[in-house]
């Protein structure tokens, strides 16, 4: 247990590199959330198919599965902020393609899937790399608060991004993609201003065994394995994000603007929770708190699934977002604090694979289940499965349940 004095949120805000990190991540989240609304609505508009909507998640997940080890090795071998900048520029170029195609009237579902695959490739490299940077930016003893503040900054963008995307799409299908282009360019500039606490030495050429070091590390650490596998299976079955366009159009009758509100609701709950966590870090029984948060996540999913009222649906999604934030802060802090710096990219890439599997394969699973069972039935089943998995993992990973403190 660390004896370093805790660093307050105010002190963190006085760190220029940390501010650049927050702003860059916020603009990136703005772009991705606008894109989620625009791509989801446009695909459903073009096809009217829940299966095709779920395919968006599968297409975006595939690059992560294919590139996980290469991405992790890249994050540990090269200068991390340059890797992140290149990814953000690639994402900006993809947004330009979508904007051009939408305004030109020639954009098809196939084009959107191709662009989504490219965005997934960029994200496969960007996310584990930027996660590996945060422990080198935040002062010692402040990672949990830094993670909460970073999540809060991203959630501010997530709250307004979907609504902005819905409004922009209502004006013109190409407008959201133009906004994404601008935000990703801003992110690339801000990332260039980040300075890490340590100089990242160049790594020698790695052997194949080095590339898989992250897998071995996670396999040998039961607390980390339990943490990331819990997220994988719980969110895999409990995710309702892919079904939001169906709920907005066919169940709640809310239209594209209502879809933006629904997409923003989890971020509202998440922002409220990150505000609390930034001031009051979880300092005891952190393992149990994570399990409790996943159970609340599952219950909120069930409430949303059964709701036919907009206000109740928004409230359920807000609770869902708050519960997810507790899990995210604990999971990220536990993984980063338990991993040596020279392995954070490879471990982070494996962790990101699990996260993407839960999010994007969860979208695919939700789309397929909705096509087979119906939208409401599939969402209810997912929430029940999430609660069951949390209870099962408490028995399978007792060491994780007994984790008392992070820092």
């Amino acid at each position: 247990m660390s004896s370093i004095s805790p660093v307050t949120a105010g002190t963190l805000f006085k760190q220029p590199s940390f501010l650049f990190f927050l702003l860059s991540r916020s603009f990136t989240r703005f772009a991705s959330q606008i894109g989620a609304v625009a791509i989801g609505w446009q695909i459903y508009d073009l096809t009217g198919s829940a299966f095709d909507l779920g395919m968006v998640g599968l297409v975006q997940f595939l690059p992560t599965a294919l590139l996980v080890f290469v991405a992790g090795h890249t994050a540990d071998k090269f200068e991390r902020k340059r890797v992140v900048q290149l990814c953000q520029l690639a994402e900006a170029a993809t947004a330009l393609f979508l904007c051009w195609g939408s305004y030109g009237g020639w954009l098809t579902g196939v084009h959107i899937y191709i662009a989504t695959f490219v965005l997934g490739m960029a994200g496969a490299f960007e996310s584990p790399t930027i996660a590996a940077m945060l422990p080198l930016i935040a002062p010692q003893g402040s990672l949990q608060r830094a993670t909460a503040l970073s999540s809060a900054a991203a959630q501010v963008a997530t709250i307004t991004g979907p609504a902005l995307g819905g409004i922009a799409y209502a004006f013109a299908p190409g407008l959201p993609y133009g906004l994404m282009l601008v935000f990703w360019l801003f992110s690339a500039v801000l990332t260039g201003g980040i300075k890490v606490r340590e100089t990242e030495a160049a790594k020698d050429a790695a052997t194949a065994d080095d590339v898989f070091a992250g897998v071995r590390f996670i396999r040998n650490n039961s607390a980390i394995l339990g943490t990331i596998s819990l997220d994988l299976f719980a969110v895999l079955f409990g995710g309702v994000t892919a079904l939001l366009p169906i709920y907005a159009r066919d169940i709640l009758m809310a239209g594209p603007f209502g879809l933006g509100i629904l997409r923003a609701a989890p971020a509202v709950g998440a922002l409220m929770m990150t505000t609390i966590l930034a001031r009051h870090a979880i300092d005891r029984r952190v393992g149990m708190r994570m399990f409790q948060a996943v159970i609340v996540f599952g219950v909120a999913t069930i409430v949303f699934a059964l709701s036919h009222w907009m206000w109740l649906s928004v409230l359920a999604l807000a609770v869902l977002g708050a519960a997810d934030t507790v899990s995210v802060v604990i999971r990220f802090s536990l993984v980063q604090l338990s991993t040596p710096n020279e392995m954070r990219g490879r471990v982070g890439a494996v962790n990101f694979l699990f996260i993407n599997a839960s999010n994007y394969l969860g979208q695919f699973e939700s789309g397929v289940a909705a096509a087979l069972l119906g939208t409401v039935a599939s969402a209810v089943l997912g929430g029940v499965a999430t609660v069951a998995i949390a209870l099962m993992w408490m028995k399978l990973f007792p060491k994780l349940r007994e984790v008392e403190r992070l820092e």
Side-chain angles (χ1 to χ4, degrees):
M1 194 167 62
S2 176
S3 60
I4 298 172
S5 299
V7 177
T8 65
T11 302
L12 283 170
F13 279 124
K14 296 177 182 177
Q15 304 286 330
S17 289
F18 185 69
L19 284 177
F20 284 136
F21 181 91
L22 289 183
L23 291 171
S24 175
R25 187 157 187 248
S26 295
F27 281 123
T28 294
R29 183 60 64 90
F30 252 118
S32 62
Q33 290 300 310
I34 291 172
V37 171
I39 289 173
W41 192 269
Q42 197 165 26
I43 282 290
Y44 196 55
D45 239 4
L46 289 171
T47 67
S49 167
F51 179 82
D52 289 342
L53 191 60
M55 279 294 294
V56 173
L58 179 62
V59 170
Q60 199 157 2
F61 167 73
L62 284 176
T64 303
L66 296 173
L67 299 172
V68 54
F69 300 114
V70 177
H73 177 56
T74 300
D76 286 335
K77 182 177 176 62
F78 299 101
E79 186 180 1
R80 287 168 179 162
K81 75 174 184 179
R82 299 306 177 199
V83 174
V84 173
Q85 280 184 304
L86 287 174
C87 293
Q88 290 165 339
L89 291 174
E91 289 162 335
T94 306
L96 177 61
F97 168 80
L98 290 169
C99 181
W100 177 34
S102 293
Y103 277 114
W106 49 262
L107 196 70
T108 66
V110 174
H111 292 133
I112 296 174
Y113 286 136
I114 293 173
T116 301
F117 187 84
V118 174
L119 292 175
M121 289 179 62
F125 285 90
E126 180 183 3
S127 292
T129 306
I130 202 165
M133 288 173 58
L134 184 54
L136 302 178
I137 298 170
Q140 288 183 299
S142 68
L143 184 59
Q144 189 182 157
R145 278 193 171 87
T147 301
L149 289 172
S150 174
S151 180
Q155 297 302 343
V156 169
T158 306
I159 291 169
T160 52
L164 181 59
I167 294 172
Y169 190 90
F171 278 98
L175 184 56
Y177 303 124
L179 294 175
M180 291 160 61
L181 169 63
V182 173
F183 287 138
W184 266 317
L185 289 176
F186 279 155
S187 294
V189 172
L190 289 164
T191 300
I194 296 174
K195 296 184 184 299
V196 298
R197 188 172 60 250
E198 302 170 6
T199 300
E200 298 178 61
K203 307 295 187 298
D204 295 331
T207 64
D209 189 54
D210 291 326
V211 174
F212 293 97
V215 176
R216 294 199 315 274
F217 183 86
I218 291 172
R219 185 186 61 199
N220 295 329
N221 190 315
S222 62
I224 293 180
L225 177 61
T227 299
I228 63 177
S229 61
L230 172 65
D231 179 75
L232 167 65
F233 290 105
V235 182
L236 175 65
F237 294 107
V240 294
T241 304
L243 304 179
L244 291 183
I246 301 175
Y247 269 91
R249 195 181 81 169
D250 300 337
I251 296 177
L252 299 172
M253 307 300 178
F257 181 68
L259 174 61
I261 293 175
L262 292 175
R263 295 279 311 196
V268 174
L271 180 60
M272 294 174 64
M273 182 56 67
T274 51
T275 302
I276 295 172
L277 294 178
R279 296 179 61 87
H280 307 285
I282 303 172
D283 57 5
R284 58 184 299 270
R285 302 190 70 196
V286 294
M288 182 58 71
R289 296 290 178 261
M290 185 177 67
F291 282 116
Q292 292 169 343
V294 174
I295 291 172
V296 171
F297 180 95
V299 172
T301 299
I302 296 170
V303 173
F304 171 81
L306 296 173
S307 171
H308 284 72
W309 298 285
M310 187 68 175
W311 68 268
L312 181 58
S313 298
V314 170
L315 178 61
L317 289 173
V319 172
L320 181 151
D324 187 50
T325 295
V326 175
S327 175
V328 167
V329 169
I330 293 174
R331 183 180 67 246
F332 182 89
S333 299
L334 178 63
V335 171
Q336 295 299 325
L337 289 171
S338 302
T339 306
N341 176 54
E342 63 272 12
M343 286 184 58
R344 282 183 177 136
R346 284 164 287 180
V347 172
V350 177
N351 186 27
F352 183 60
L353 173 64
F354 276 65
I355 294 171
N356 256 14
S358 62
N359 290 331
Y360 297 132
L361 286 184
Q363 291 181 30
F364 177 66
E365 179 273 333
S366 295
V368 172
L372 295 176
L373 305 175
T375 302
V376 174
S378 67
V380 170
L381 182 61
V384 171
T386 299
V387 175
I389 288 167
L391 295 174
M392 186 185 305
W393 254 238
M394 290 175 67
K395 297 293 186 182
L396 293 176
F397 296 92
K399 288 186 179 180
L400 176 58
R401 187 183 67 238
E402 294 166 3
V403 171
E404 183 70 17
R405 299 175 68 88
L406 290 173
E407 298 183 84

